[in-house]
Amino acid sequence: MASTVLNEGLTYTELFPLALHALLKGYSVFIKGKPGCGKSTMAKELAGEIRKIRSKEQGREVAFPFIDLRPSQMEPSELAGLPYPDKDTGRVIQF
């Protein structure tokens, strides 16, 4: 994976520690790249690394599940919720 370029010319091994540091500091990370470049693999490995770090900090096994959600393969209503009319305002809002 070391030679795989993700986005902005960063390789997997260059981006991984940057993403890990940002996540540990409470920031969100958006990994953008072409299909097959290792985005999902990196996300799964980041979750595993965070689980190991948090478990070591707390002195016990900490659950940190990896949930693989692929919005490009979902309907818009699955992301935003189903629209329904708000009786108070008369506007359509997401459920």
Side-chain angles (χ1 to χ4, degrees):
M1 284 287 184
S3 64
T4 302
V5 176
L6 296 178
N7 193 29
E8 301 299 322
L10 294 175
T11 65
Y12 189 96
T13 53
E14 291 169 334
L15 183 57
F16 189 89
L18 298 173
L20 180 61
H21 179 75
L23 290 166
L24 290 171
K25 293 292 184 181
Y27 292 97
S28 296
V29 174
F30 182 81
I31 303 171
K32 180 181 174 184
K34 295 179 182 180
C37 72
K39 300 179 300 290
S40 296
T41 300
M42 178 177 286
K44 189 172 187 176
E45 290 180 3
L46 285 165
E49 191 64 27
I50 291 170
R51 182 187 50 75
K52 285 193 284 187
I53 290 169
R54 295 295 187 230
S55 295
K56 187 175 180 179
E57 288 173 352
Q58 295 186 23
R60 62 179 176 82
E61 187 68 24
V62 174
F64 197 88
F66 171 70
I67 301 169
D68 190 354
L69 179 68
R70 297 173 187 250
S72 64
Q73 299 173 357
M74 299 174 72
E75 293 292 323
S77 61
E78 292 179 283
L79 298 173
L82 297 171
Y84 72 96
D86 183 343
K87 294 177 185 175
D88 296 330
T89 65
R91 299 181 73 192
V92 174
I93 58 176
Q94 300 303 117
F95 183 64

